[in-house]
Amino acid sequence: MNNLRPPKLAEKFLLLFLKKELAEEVLGDLDEKFYWTIEKKSLRRAKLNYWYQVFNYLRPFAFKFFKSNSIIPTMIKHNFKISYRILKKNKVFSAINIGGLAMGMIVTTLIGLWIHDELSFNTHHKNYESIVQVLRKEMENGEIEVNSSHVSKLGEHLKQTYPTIFQKVAITFYRNQQLVVTVGKQSLERLGYFFSTDAPEMLSLEMIAGQASLENKEAVLLSESLAKTLFIDQNPIGEFVQINTSTQLIVNGVYKDIPLNSTFSDMDFILSMELIYNDDSPPTWNNYNTKIYAQLNDGVEAEEASAIIKDALTDNISEENGPMDLLLLPMKDWRLKADFNSVDGSQMTSNRVVFIRLYGAIGIFVLMLACINFMNLNTARYQSRGKEVGIRKTVGSQRKQLVSQFLAESVLYASVSFVVSILVTWLILPWFNGISDKDLSLPWDVPEFWLIGIFFTLFSAIVAGSYPALFLSSFSPLKALGGTLRQGKASVRLRQILVVFQFAISILLMIGTFTVHNQIQHAKSRPVGYDQEDLITVRGRSSEFYKKFDVLRETVKQTGMVEEMASANYPLMNTLGNNGGFRLEQNDAAYSFSFNTIFVTPEYGAATKWELLAGRDFSREHGDETQNIIISESAVEQMGLENPVGKRLISQRGMRDRQKELTIIGVVKDMIKGSPYEPPMPLMLFASEDAESYSFIRMKKGVRYVEAIPKIQAAFEKILPGHPFNYEFVDDAYSTKFRSEEKIGSLATFFSGLAIVISCLGLFGLSAFIVEQRTKEIGIRKVLGASIPTLWKLLSKDFSLLVVISSVLAIPAASYFLNGWLENYEYRIEITWWMYAIAAIGGFFIALFTVSYHSLKASLGNPVDALRSE
Amino acid sequence: MKESKLGDFEETILLLVGILGDQAYAFKIAEEFETQTKRPVSIGAVHSTLSRIEEKGFLTSKMGESSAERGGRRKRIYTITATGQRALEISRELKMTLWNQFPAFAEGKLNFVFG
């Protein structure tokens, strides 16, 4: 029943401004309206309407402070009229003021949208509050690891055993893959998610057509964009789709594309999990190839539920790996709190939070820079405005009225800036989405957005306008008119501090941008252990491919464009497939760490051009190589071997169906397969007799790709008609690993660029005033014989010194933040002195250049003009 | 000097006050406005107009009794004054003369003259 009360906050807000004597009747009326709306419409509507009604009481007659005989409204009107005239009169300064403030607002808006997007990640899913992911916590090498892979039987088991906890359990295949989707003659590679039947409802898919059901294992659900690409205008429901050229499925439904800020945004289509579980491979307790998402029953908390299901796994499997606890991670933590401490297993905020804070700080700083400009420019105008203040005071203006005049001015400036900033933001959003990999848009129809916008506008206006208002209105009329007005020491000092602050932030951002770029370059130029150039990857997709691999390889080589072709069970770009349980023949204990284990055809080395450090490569001439292995240098190091070649290893678990004894025949340089920022994973390579699913084609040096690729494709089509030839350049694929860092880099460049421009705008305006103020002095000096360089030096010196102080402040701060950031990366640069130096010197010259415009203009001018006035 | 003309919206509100009698308070008037004109209006807008008409002297008001659905709060009931009544009559007469001069209605057929 308590819920059926009008919103408290709205009531409070109303009472904040409403005249006391009106409170009773107005609250009564609004209550009546509220209960009436509940009855006629809904509670939600009633609440919304209550707010609407409250805002509609923002009228002069109901206002507390409004007296109908007061002159305030007229005065406000008058103030704005004067402000408008002043704005029009000084076009350059108005432009600098508005431009600077607008830029600050643009940055703040963009960052605000970005942060909002991050924080609202996944909230699009209706069951956001109750969805969890099932995770597994285990001890590995003395460290606590949290994994998301589960044995395929577990999902079903959880659903059956704990009906009071789980409302729905959605099981998905651990590695969702690009699958070939064929309709008629059209073949595309798209990412398909295998899901159990609960998934569509749990993820609250919005269906455009058909049913959101996976009950039939031949059913497939397509995303709107995929359906459009495949079927164009045709109705896709009930049509056939072929997956990987072999499985025939029926389109059961089309769902609206999942928004970019969802964990499942890359899902192009959904297939039934039953396609993977079949009679030949039923769910088991020993194959970790699924992920489990679940929806909790109403009122069940993830934490309590975690405690109950904790041992569900260990109750059903033999405990060879020590304890494995299950835990439930609520959807709201997936994005920003999905890391776990390796020592005590506690949940930690992830790196993304650092960026949210960082960008948030940048946003506030940049807005502050803009406000500072405003303050500086307006206090600097004291001389011209001083006369005005003097006259107004003599005529009888009160200080309060002057303050309100100046505040009206800054409100006007801020409002114009706000409008400008919204327009510009709207224009540059598509570009910003490109560099930030987001899908942001201005929420025109969200009242909160406008409320926040207006709040910030007024906030900036007050922050920026209060000091000038108080300062300018404090002049004594006698001094202001008598011409003896002198700037107080305090205000000069304050202005200097503000300039120092601005440039310190600009230089800090510059150093930051520099470091990020350098770190990316550093990782990009890291040696990868093989030659990425002229190398392409093609996926094998059908059983035909494996059967005819040797013929295919011969035909491809016959094109004359190709040096070698080989295959492996994993791509070059990641470290899927890690295995432990290896020991040296003479040792009892196995090595406690795991190796990246890859099966390769004998020409793998020739195709990738890896660097052999010792021993020999695999070769068909050596006959059976199946018991031989090649390892990488970091594997040698991990095992602590002296002369690795010829040493024999025992694989305790066995690899595929092979015998367990392995001989090391060669050592290769480390290959960077995982993150380019992390230490290399130790590799163990096994010779495969049959083709594997990833093949690598090494083109001859110097061939033209436009010539080579069609010939290779023709060879494919000749041997494997109907098999898609989708190739990927290895160096291109590798460069995508730098994407997220590059995003950070380009965002940082953009923000720091704007910060510098804003600071310079401020300096530009400020120097203009200073020069104007000293025009007479310059004139006299010139008449008395001062040279242009002397005058320029005289005028630029003060500002230059401020920038030097800024650098001194910025450098330690930068070193603190950036070293913290770099610590995230194992493979990283050291920040060197020259990076600081470039930013500091850069900042100095930018400032000097900005100031020079006015100082040179003043020095070059004719002294007659300067002295004639008055 | 206080303006004493009656605006269009003010006139409608004033009429509604007359229609509603002793039930003429801001919420009821707003409701009645919406049902009669099919146009949405906020209570605040109505209230603001009521207080303006009151200032012009066309309305008086006093606090009425309380009721449960208002959380026990009392309501302000408006009544038309004699000058209010007079203003309505003047307005009606003016409109009637205007209607009578409108040829399409005065002569019972459409007869627009251009020029």
Side-chain angles (χ1 to χ4, degrees):
Chain A
M1 202 53 201
N2 201 27
N3 210 10
L4 289 177
R5 288 272 314 123
K8 275 235 154 57
L9 195 66
E11 254 176 37
K12 263 194 191 148
F13 178 64
L14 181 73
L15 292 175
L16 205 67
F17 66 81
L18 195 71
K19 263 187 205 156
K20 263 219 178 71
E21 58 267 33
L22 284 179
E24 179 164 10
E25 47 181 304
V26 169
L27 282 175
D29 279 357
L30 294 194
D31 267 22
E32 243 181 276
K33 173 80 184 175
F34 180 75
Y35 294 119
W36 185 87
T37 317
I38 291 183
E39 216 168 279
K40 291 269 150 85
K41 285 166 182 156
S42 69
L43 180 66
R44 211 181 84 85
R45 288 287 291 271
K47 281 190 174 162
L48 266 176
N49 184 271
Y50 197 90
W51 275 104
Y52 167 77
Q53 300 290 358
V54 164
F55 278 110
N56 265 296
Y57 263 99
L58 285 167
R59 289 163 189 277
F61 89 98
F63 247 75
K64 238 182 219 169
F65 311 107
F66 183 84
K67 294 186 203 83
S68 58
N69 60 350
S70 132
I71 54 154
I72 286 175
T74 344
M75 204 176 94
I76 289 175
K77 225 189 248 171
H78 165 85
N79 280 346
F80 277 105
K81 203 177 255 175
I82 299 273
S83 306
Y84 176 66
R85 286 176 188 160
I86 288 169
L87 187 146
K88 257 185 23 190
K89 198 175 137 202
N90 299 318
K91 289 214 174 64
V92 177
F93 294 112
S94 305
I96 291 177
N97 260 333
I98 291 172
L101 214 48
M103 266 189 246
M105 288 176 176
I106 292 167
V107 173
T108 319
T109 314
L110 288 176
I111 290 178
L113 289 174
W114 189 88
I115 291 179
H116 178 259
D117 185 79
E118 282 292 323
L119 297 182
S120 63
F121 206 81
N122 275 336
T123 46
H124 150 85
H125 298 287
K126 288 206 183 74
N127 304 316
Y128 176 74
E129 296 289 337
S130 55
I131 294 179
V132 293
Q133 182 172 14
V134 185
L135 297 178
R136 181 167 57 89
K137 202 187 268 187
E138 63 179 321
M139 281 296 262
E140 178 121 349
N141 319 327
E143 286 190 345
I144 294 178
E145 268 191 30
V146 175
N147 294 310
S148 58
S149 65
H150 290 288
V151 290
S152 43
K153 189 95 182 171
L154 182 66
E156 210 178 289
H157 174 75
L158 287 177
K159 192 174 179 179
Q160 279 160 9
T161 323
Y162 304 98
T164 51
I165 292 179
F166 299 111
Q167 190 178 116
K168 295 195 175 69
V169 176
I171 306 151
T172 184
F173 191 46
Y174 187 72
R175 228 178 278 131
N176 292 305
Q177 295 176 342
Q178 298 278 342
L179 301 169
V180 180
V181 186
T182 313
V183 170
K185 286 195 166 170
Q186 196 178 191
S187 284
L188 300 165
E189 264 191 288
R190 286 297 140 93
L191 196 76
Y193 274 59
F194 292 92
F195 256 128
S196 60
T197 50
D198 279 354
E201 211 178 312
M202 188 184 98
L203 297 178
S204 59
L205 293 183
E206 282 179 64
M207 298 310 288
I208 291 174
Q211 308 282 308
S213 160
L214 290 172
E215 290 299 337
N216 178 358
K217 82 173 206 185
E218 268 87 40
V220 61
L221 308 178
L222 305 180
S223 70
E224 188 183 5
S225 53
L226 180 59
K228 278 216 175 102
T229 324
L230 287 173
F231 295 98
I232 311 160
D233 296 330
Q234 206 187 328
N235 175 16
I237 306 300
E239 295 292 328
F240 289 103
V241 165
Q242 215 173 40
I243 302 295
N244 277 1
T245 69
S246 56
T247 316
Q248 187 99 318
L249 303 175
I250 303 165
V251 180
N252 215 6
V254 176
Y255 59 88
K256 211 163 162 195
D257 287 359
I258 293 179
L260 217 50
N261 66 347
S262 158
T263 306
F264 303 99
S265 64
D266 58 351
M267 182 166 79
D268 291 316
F269 61 104
I270 307 179
L271 316 99
S272 167
M273 197 66 194
E274 296 293 317
L275 291 172
I276 293 185
Y277 298 152
N278 50 35
D279 297 340
D280 299 335
S281 59
T284 63
W285 284 107
N286 58 24
N287 192 354
Y288 288 83
N289 64 355
T290 61
K291 279 198 258 195
I292 305 171
Y293 303 105
Q295 185 183 342
L296 300 178
N297 274 316
D298 292 341
V300 178
E301 291 296 322
E303 212 167 323
E304 299 160 18
S306 297
I308 300 171
I309 63 155
K310 201 174 84 141
D311 298 321
L313 187 63
T314 27
D315 290 348
N316 291 283
I317 56 166
S318 61
E319 284 194 48
E320 63 174 277
N321 294 16
M324 283 204 217
D325 292 348
L326 292 182
L327 71 141
L328 303 173
L329 188 69
M331 199 173 210
K332 65 172 163 49
D333 293 346
W334 291 4
R335 177 79 168 171
L336 301 175
K337 276 187 85 179
D339 289 351
F340 292 87
N341 188 313
S342 60
V343 180
D344 61 2
S346 60
Q347 206 176 343
M348 298 192 302
T349 46
S350 56
N351 237 332
R352 294 207 139 261
V353 179
V354 178
F355 287 115
I356 289 182
R357 291 198 188 126
L358 189 75
Y359 286 147
I362 292 178
I364 291 168
F365 273 142
V366 173
L367 192 62
M368 270 164 68
L369 292 187
C371 289
I372 289 173
N373 267 354
F374 194 86
M375 269 190 226
N376 265 345
L377 287 175
N378 284 297
T379 34
R381 277 203 298 185
Y382 78 99
Q383 209 146 45
S384 56
R385 297 308 294 274
K387 287 223 171 78
E388 181 194 333
V389 170
I391 292 169
R392 277 164 172 263
K393 278 197 169 172
T394 335
V395 182
S397 182
Q398 288 168 13
R399 181 158 186 202
K400 211 168 73 189
Q401 289 163 337
L402 284 171
V403 169
S404 82
Q405 164 64 43
F406 287 118
L407 278 181
E409 254 170 65
S410 53
V411 168
L412 184 72
Y413 278 118
S415 312
V416 175
S417 308
F418 179 64
V419 173
V420 171
S421 76
I422 290 289
L423 285 177
V424 175
T425 307
W426 177 65
L427 284 175
I428 64 171
L429 255 184
W431 168 81
F432 184 78
N433 280 335
I435 63 166
S436 65
D437 227 1
K438 292 259 182 208
D439 189 16
L440 307 174
S441 58
L442 278 175
W444 302 105
D445 52 346
V446 178
E448 282 90 346
F449 170 72
W450 297 106
L451 281 179
I452 295 172
I454 291 164
F455 170 78
F456 263 98
T457 308
L458 291 179
F459 176 76
S460 338
I462 289 166
V463 167
S466 57
Y467 179 73
L470 291 174
F471 171 71
L472 290 172
S473 64
S474 70
F475 295 159
S476 111
L478 201 66
K479 281 187 182 164
L481 290 172
T484 52
L485 192 64
R486 192 143 293 147
Q487 237 171 332
K489 269 238 165 63
S491 87
V492 175
R493 179 57 43 82
L494 181 80
R495 216 146 61 209
Q496 286 172 338
I497 292 172
L498 294 178
V499 168
V500 166
F501 181 72
Q502 278 189 318
F503 271 84
I505 289 178
S506 299
I507 291 170
L508 180 75
L509 288 173
M510 250 157 81
I511 299 175
T513 312
F514 244 47
T515 313
V516 173
H517 281 292
N518 271 313
Q519 166 67 10
I520 296 168
Q521 274 315 317
H522 178 66
K524 267 190 168 173
S525 53
R526 178 182 192 177
V528 289
Y530 59 97
D531 185 3
Q532 293 186 330
E533 231 179 295
D534 307 320
L535 189 60
I536 58 173
T537 310
V538 186
R539 291 275 323 261
R541 294 295 185 186
S542 62
S543 49
E544 285 292 287
F545 175 88
Y546 300 105
K547 268 187 246 162
K548 292 185 178 168
F549 183 79
D550 289 332
V551 191
L552 181 69
R553 180 171 158 255
E554 280 312 313
T555 321
V556 166
K557 281 176 83 171
Q558 272 162 20
T559 59
M561 297 285 164
V562 170
E563 201 174 300
E564 193 50 88
M565 175 172 176
S567 69
N569 60 342
Y570 294 122
L572 277 163
M573 292 305 153
N574 57 38
T575 51
L576 309 168
N578 297 311
N579 281 284
F582 296 97
R583 69 174 171 87
L584 267 184
E585 202 176 30
Q586 62 268 33
N587 284 3
D588 284 340
Y591 296 108
S592 59
F593 40 83
S594 63
F595 296 85
N596 194 193
T597 46
I598 309 174
F599 284 83
V600 300
T601 53
E603 294 80 19
Y604 186 75
T608 59
K609 288 203 182 161
W610 67 16
E611 280 178 61
L612 205 59
L613 298 177
R616 64 170 182 85
D617 204 339
F618 293 125
S619 161
R620 288 180 196 261
E621 282 156 27
H622 282 81
D624 183 22
E625 295 259 41
T626 50
Q627 300 318 121
N628 295 336
I629 57 168
I630 291 176
I631 61 174
S632 68
E633 50 178 335
S634 59
V636 175
E637 207 177 298
Q638 283 273 31
M639 293 188 279
L641 294 175
E642 289 276 322
N643 289 307
V645 178
K647 289 268 162 38
R648 287 161 70 83
L649 284 173
I650 308 293
S651 160
Q652 292 177 316
R653 290 187 198 158
M655 292 297 297
R656 294 197 178 170
D657 300 328
R658 294 197 177 163
Q659 280 180 30
K660 295 179 174 179
E661 283 162 40
L662 307 162
T663 310
I664 299 170
I665 57 162
V667 176
V668 288
K669 215 170 160 57
D670 279 324
M671 290 165 86
I672 305 303
K673 284 169 167 291
S675 162
Y677 304 103
E678 274 166 25
M681 186 77 187
L683 293 180
M684 204 175 265
L685 295 121
F686 298 79
S688 173
E689 289 174 311
D690 301 311
E692 303 283 348
S693 52
Y694 291 85
S695 44
F696 307 99
I697 299 173
R698 158 76 54 199
M699 288 178 278
K700 284 188 176 151
K701 263 239 137 45
V703 297
R704 291 174 56 220
Y705 299 152
V706 280
E707 242 176 279
I709 300 287
K711 283 191 177 164
I712 298 170
Q713 178 162 15
F716 258 74
E717 273 160 13
K718 191 171 143 203
I719 307 299
L720 300 166
H723 189 284
F725 175 74
N726 286 315
Y727 64 95
E728 191 175 34
F729 278 91
V730 171
D731 47 0
D732 284 348
Y734 188 75
S735 61
T736 59
K737 285 182 189 269
F738 301 92
R739 229 174 124 97
S740 77
E741 273 74 16
E742 275 175 343
K743 296 284 160 200
I744 294 165
S746 36
L747 283 180
T749 312
F750 173 61
F751 292 142
S752 55
L754 273 186
I756 291 162
V757 172
I758 292 172
S759 305
C760 286
L761 267 183
L763 207 54
F764 184 78
L766 206 54
S767 60
F769 281 116
I770 305 292
V771 166
E772 191 186 285
Q773 204 182 305
R774 295 173 77 172
T775 318
K776 285 220 180 90
E777 181 198 332
I778 294 164
I780 294 169
R781 280 178 188 265
K782 245 186 141 174
V783 172
L784 294 178
S787 70
I788 291 170
T790 323
L791 286 173
W792 174 71
K793 215 173 94 188
L794 176 82
L795 291 168
S796 311
K797 196 180 70 192
D798 292 349
F799 285 116
S800 312
L801 188 69
L802 296 182
V803 178
V804 171
I805 298 172
S806 306
S807 317
V808 172
L809 290 177
I811 287 171
S815 118
Y816 172 77
F817 286 125
L818 292 169
N819 279 316
W821 178 69
L822 285 172
E823 264 169 32
N824 295 325
Y825 302 103
E826 286 277 345
Y827 188 77
R828 62 173 177 241
I829 48 164
E830 297 298 326
I831 306 180
T832 44
W833 64 269
W834 60 266
M835 287 158 126
Y836 296 130
I838 287 179
I841 294 170
F844 178 79
F845 276 106
I846 290 172
L848 194 65
F849 186 73
T850 315
V851 173
S852 291
Y853 173 79
H854 287 294
S855 36
L856 278 179
K857 206 168 108 184
S859 329
L860 291 169
N862 187 344
V864 176
D865 297 330
L867 293 170
R868 196 174 47 193
S869 73
E870 203 136 318
Chain B
M1 203 194 75
K2 206 138 268 168
E3 205 190 342
S4 55
K5 278 206 194 96
L6 197 55
D8 232 16
F9 184 64
E10 291 173 350
E11 184 182 341
T12 318
I13 296 294
L14 201 53
L15 281 168
L16 287 170
V17 171
I19 294 167
L20 288 167
D22 55 2
Q23 281 299 304
Y25 59 102
F27 163 70
K28 259 282 144 52
I29 298 167
E31 287 308 310
E32 195 61 27
F33 183 90
E34 286 188 9
T35 28
Q36 298 253 9
T37 65
K38 308 275 180 297
R39 285 205 322 257
V41 70
S42 77
I43 304 174
V46 171
H47 200 156
S48 161
T49 311
L50 283 169
S51 81
R52 196 165 57 235
I53 314 176
E54 192 177 5
E55 266 178 45
K56 292 179 183 175
F58 298 152
L59 282 175
T60 56
S61 70
K62 59 174 200 299
M63 292 305 270
E65 82 285 15
S66 60
S67 73
E69 71 245 40
R70 309 169 54 90
R73 297 186 188 94
R74 291 180 300 152
K75 43 196 162 194
R76 179 176 295 277
I77 306 287
Y78 291 84
T79 8
I80 303 185
T81 59
T83 22
Q85 194 95 24
R86 185 79 199 116
L88 278 175
E89 276 161 25
I90 292 172
S91 163
R92 182 162 173 262
E93 272 162 31
L94 173 70
K95 291 223 167 110
M96 288 310 291
T97 17
L98 287 175
W99 279 116
N100 288 332
Q101 291 168 52
F102 185 29
F105 291 92
E107 292 166 27
K109 62 179 167 129
L110 286 171
N111 188 19
F112 291 107
V113 181
F114 297 98

